[in-house]
Amino acid sequence: MMPHVMPLPTVRANQLPVNEYFASLQGEGRWLGHPAIFIRFAYCNLGCAWCDTKFTWEPSSFETEQWQSFDRIARFASDIIDQDHRSRTHVVLTGGEPMLHRKQLPELIHQLRGSEFTFFEIETNGLFGPSDELRELVSWWNCSPKLSNNGMSMTTNLNRDAIAALVATDRADFKFVVQNEQDIDEIERWYVPLLPADRIWLMPEGTTRNRQMQRLPWVTEIARKRGWNVSPRLHILLWDNERKR
């Protein structure tokens, strides 16, 4: 059964639904620990059972989005740099699911480029392939394909064409939230035939420091045996599940 997610509203010309901005460290994947500005968009097409940003899509906890123009988004991001007193040129576009807004993202990236940002990372669930323009503009795709531990079937979670398009960029990693051996079996059945082994990352499910530490040794051993990568959730290890971290 699909979860009840907030329906995507009618697209507004030259605007995007922003949930929050913040400066932090990238907490997951290849760019772990790298300083970045995060721009979080509202709405999602899935709605995973273990999601830690349900305030972007779940009706009972949805926080009102702010529709903002591209130039205003760029100004807010630049203001964060000024307030943070550090040089940050890395922008992470996240959600929710930012690729729901994929037709508008190229123009936003052009605006951000004019505000001293140079590296653009998109965090996505891998259900939408990039357009030619977006493929050229995005520096890295931090893709988190879903397994059935999110409460949905693999027919819902997997779009082979979109995964193939992301692989073809040669600038994408594929990060899996895992809880148990069944998750590993699903990765091997559904995704290993589609992905280069060196682009597969395992990440322990958990929104508390204790759960991350409990599962990390097991996840590390599984990845080591298969030649895959491991990513903890650094922001959880440092700050538990504190917002804007």
Side-chain angles (χ1 to χ4, degrees):
M1 178 182 296
M2 288 292 291
H4 187 193
V5 298
M6 295 292 295
L8 188 66
T10 302
V11 172
R12 302 186 189 183
N14 302 316
Q15 290 186 317
L16 284 164
V18 177
N19 182 275
E20 62 184 3
Y21 305 84
F22 57 97
S24 188
L25 305 176
Q26 173 57 285
E28 303 172 0
R30 183 177 298 267
W31 301 100
L32 185 82
H34 195 87
I37 300 296
F38 289 75
I39 303 173
R40 187 184 303 284
F41 299 107
Y43 303 105
C44 186
N45 59 312
L46 285 179
C48 299
W50 37 254
C51 179
D52 61 353
T53 58
K54 290 184 177 181
F55 53 87
T56 66
W57 58 264
E58 187 182 54
S60 64
S61 56
F62 185 75
E63 295 182 358
T64 301
E65 77 284 21
Q66 297 180 15
W67 286 86
Q68 297 181 8
S69 65
F70 302 146
D71 62 332
R72 187 180 184 194
I73 293 171
R75 289 198 304 272
F76 266 85
S78 293
D79 287 346
I80 292 174
I81 291 180
D82 294 340
Q83 295 167 10
D84 204 48
H85 304 297
R86 274 174 281 183
S87 176
R88 297 172 184 264
T89 60
H90 187 135
V91 176
V92 179
L93 304 177
T94 188
E97 174 49 57
M99 286 293 281
L100 286 173
H101 317 293
R102 59 196 178 279
K103 292 182 179 179
Q104 295 169 284
L105 292 181
E107 181 57 32
L108 173 63
I109 292 174
H110 283 302
Q111 289 278 352
L112 290 165
R113 276 182 164 178
S115 300
E116 71 190 277
F117 299 103
T118 58
F119 191 96
F120 302 96
E121 178 181 355
I122 290 185
E123 296 186 329
T124 179
N125 57 31
L127 288 173
F128 304 98
S131 64
D132 290 343
E133 183 179 15
L134 201 52
R135 181 164 47 245
E136 292 301 316
L137 290 171
V138 173
S139 309
W140 204 262
W141 301 89
N142 194 348
C143 182
S144 297
K146 305 311 178 192
L147 306 170
S148 64
N149 61 28
N150 73 343
M152 285 163 275
S153 70
M154 291 306 297
T155 56
T156 297
N157 288 329
L158 173 59
N159 181 337
R160 289 179 176 83
D161 291 341
I163 293 292
L166 289 166
V167 170
T169 68
D170 201 33
R171 298 191 306 276
D173 288 321
F174 300 86
K175 176 168 49 61
F176 296 90
V177 174
V178 295
Q179 299 173 330
N180 52 44
E181 290 288 349
Q182 178 181 328
D183 297 337
I184 305 305
D185 291 342
E186 288 187 6
I187 294 170
E188 292 186 325
R189 177 182 177 185
W190 297 103
Y191 291 103
V192 164
L194 307 176
L195 302 175
D198 64 346
R199 294 298 174 86
I200 296 176
W201 295 68
L202 299 186
M203 187 173 70
E205 187 275 327
T207 56
T208 66
R209 184 181 297 115
N210 286 341
R211 182 174 289 187
Q212 284 285 300
M213 293 306 298
Q214 288 169 1
R215 288 179 170 162
L216 196 54
W218 169 75
V219 167
T220 300
E221 185 63 15
I222 292 289
R224 186 187 64 81
K225 290 179 178 179
R226 288 164 174 79
W228 299 344
N229 304 290
V230 175
S231 173
R233 305 188 72 198
L234 180 62
H235 50 299
I236 299 294
L237 294 178
L238 293 174
W239 302 297
D240 274 323
N241 200 27
E242 185 178 341
R243 283 284 295 275
K244 296 190 177 183
R245 289 291 198 171

